[in-house]
């Protein structure tokens, strides 16, 4: 299992997300209550950054056309997007957020 540090929990806002780019991934981090979730930042409909969307409970609204995505799973909840975005496993240790990746 690979771990990549993404951010500090205090860097993640509560009303929108935080975009973090790794070498290969573009990730949107969200804070829901005291939990942190990570999904793909690129909307599945067109080019838009989900981390710039408004967060309502555990749903983020795409800033471009308004599709809602579940930040816990990446599932798409409303049109015009029809495909989910990836979701990623993260763990928080000492206020640092780490992405967990299976070894290839
Ligand atoms: S770009 Fe996200 S819904 Fe269209």
């Amino acid at each position: 299992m690979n771990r990549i540090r993404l951010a500090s929990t205090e860097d993640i806002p509560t009303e929108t997300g935080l975009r973090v780019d790794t070498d290969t991934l573009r990730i949107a981090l969200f804070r829901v209550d005291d939990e942190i979730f990570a999904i793909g930042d690129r909307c599945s409909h067109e080019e838009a950054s989900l981390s710039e969307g408004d967060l309502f409970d555990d749903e983020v609204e795409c800033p471009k056309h308004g599709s809602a995505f579940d930040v816990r799973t990446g599932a798409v909840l409303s049109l015009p997007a029809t495909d989910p975005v990836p979701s990623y496993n993260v763990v928080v240790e000492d206020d640092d957020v780490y992405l967990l990746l299976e070894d290839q």
Side-chain angles (χ1 to χ4, degrees):
M1 185 75 74
N2 271 332
R3 281 167 38 126
I4 301 172
R5 185 186 177 282
L6 297 177
S8 296
T9 53
E10 64 191 22
D11 295 335
I12 304 171
T14 55
E15 296 176 355
T16 186
L18 175 71
R19 175 176 166 173
V20 180
D21 291 351
T22 72
D23 287 346
T24 56
L25 299 171
R26 189 174 125 188
I27 293 173
L29 293 175
F30 296 96
R31 181 205 301 254
V32 180
D33 298 324
D34 288 332
E35 288 187 275
I36 305 297
F37 297 99
I39 61 173
D41 180 61
R42 183 177 287 112
C43 183
S44 62
H45 180 230
E46 288 181 6
E47 175 57 47
S49 186
L50 294 180
S51 61
E52 296 175 7
D54 292 327
L55 183 65
F56 302 98
D57 297 323
D58 56 3
E59 297 178 14
V60 63
E61 188 177 279
C62 175
K64 197 163 186 180
H65 304 118
S67 281
F69 292 86
D70 186 330
V71 301
R72 296 174 185 269
T73 64
V76 62
L77 303 171
S78 64
L79 297 170
T82 56
D83 293 323
V85 294
S87 68
Y88 301 102
N89 292 323
V90 291
V91 63
V92 177
E93 287 181 14
D94 298 329
D95 293 329
D96 290 318
V97 181
Y98 294 91
L99 173 69
L100 301 178
L101 292 173
E102 299 288 336
D103 291 331
Q104 299 287 322

